[in-house]
Amino acid sequence: MGGPVIIAVDGPAASGKGTLARRLAAELGYAYLDTGLLYRAVGLALLNSGRDPADETAATAAATAFDAASADYSDPALRAEETGKAAGTVAAFPLVRAALVEVQRQFAANPPGDKLGAVMDGRDIGTVICPDATHKFFIEAEIEERARRRVKELQGRGNAVIPAQVLQEMKERDERDRNRAVAPLAPAADASVVNTTNLNADATFALAMSLIR
Ligand code: CDP
């Protein structure tokens, strides 16, 4: 009784889930966890040490050695497309996922800063990590629109991008996320599915808040 409120925000890349999750956390005064950063950190550790993210043994070792509490989440390399690709690769390995379960559940059960709730942004929060979450959202959008958003985001950070390549890589990552054997990307049976193809950030936020209240 009286445990923290847990809001699960799942969905594919550039669906608007991160924007929504951060905004919900700010509005409600809850802690926010971008769980993609954990997978990205494991992918980046492999890239930095010259190992192949597709090497399951190396990926499992990196995930097991990963110390979420002392990681530097401000490293810009974490946000790079190459790191996202590596994250998608390591995230398909069951032992990598298993190594990252506890840190996510701990965050939700004991939101840092004595906050009364946690907003968890990910792919399998509502299905695997926090199946008893208080509110569950699954945010999606058509892939062409998501690729457009990602191109804008990358260009905004000063990267030169080839839009067709961004779309192609997003398709590949979606494909892998949706079809992996463990914790595939899918809405929980009790999630509110929100399609943001024609919904801007304000409208998405307003809709989510009305569903929470
Ligand atoms: O938004 P984007 O997909 O670029 O990045 P992200 O949310 O940081 O996630 C990067 C990759 O990590 C995803 O493609 C997933 O394969 C994986 N991931 C996951 O499997 N489970 C999570 N809870 C979060 C991310």
Side-chain angles (χ1 to χ4, degrees):
M1 289 292 293
V5 174
I6 299 172
I7 302 180
V9 184
D10 290 308
S15 55
K17 75 185 150 74
T19 303
L20 173 65
R22 267 187 289 270
R23 218 159 141 183
L24 289 175
E27 173 75 13
L28 299 165
Y30 293 169
Y32 166 68
L33 182 64
D34 175 357
T35 64
L37 278 183
L38 305 175
Y39 294 91
R40 284 173 175 265
V42 172
L44 184 60
L46 291 161
L47 295 176
N48 283 345
S49 60
R51 281 168 300 173
D52 181 0
D55 176 343
E56 187 165 1
T57 307
T60 301
T64 308
F66 175 65
D67 179 7
S70 65
D72 172 15
Y73 298 104
S74 63
D75 181 353
L78 280 174
R79 321 267 168 187
E81 277 303 86
E82 201 197 351
T83 306
K85 210 165 144 185
T89 302
V90 302
F93 298 135
L95 293 176
V96 168
R97 303 200 72 80
L100 299 177
V101 166
E102 213 38 49
V103 58
Q104 297 177 74
R105 288 195 180 141
Q106 277 304 325
F107 188 99
N110 305 292
D114 285 332
K115 300 277 169 73
L116 298 177
V119 183
M120 309 281 292
D121 165 350
R123 296 284 194 291
D124 64 343
I125 306 301
T127 50
V128 174
I129 304 296
C130 303
D132 297 327
T134 323
H135 304 283
K136 296 182 186 179
F137 295 100
F138 190 85
I139 310 300
E140 58 186 14
E142 277 168 20
I143 189 147
E144 288 77 13
E145 172 60 18
R146 290 192 284 117
R148 259 194 300 277
R149 291 176 191 168
R150 182 51 53 93
V151 166
K152 238 175 102 179
E153 179 191 333
L154 290 168
Q155 286 172 339
R157 279 193 257 135
N159 295 298
V161 291
I162 304 167
Q165 189 182 339
V166 171
L167 175 62
Q168 183 55 32
E169 289 187 353
M170 196 170 273
K171 279 184 179 156
E172 288 166 13
R173 198 127 61 84
D174 266 22
E175 199 47 35
R176 201 163 25 210
D177 284 349
R178 290 184 212 269
N179 296 317
R180 66 181 171 226
V182 186
L185 173 67
D190 53 350
S192 300
V193 178
V194 179
N195 189 310
T196 70
T197 307
N198 297 304
L199 221 52
N200 67 22
D202 286 346
T204 306
F205 174 66
L207 175 60
M209 282 304 294
S210 71
L211 289 166
I212 290 170
R213 290 186 169 132

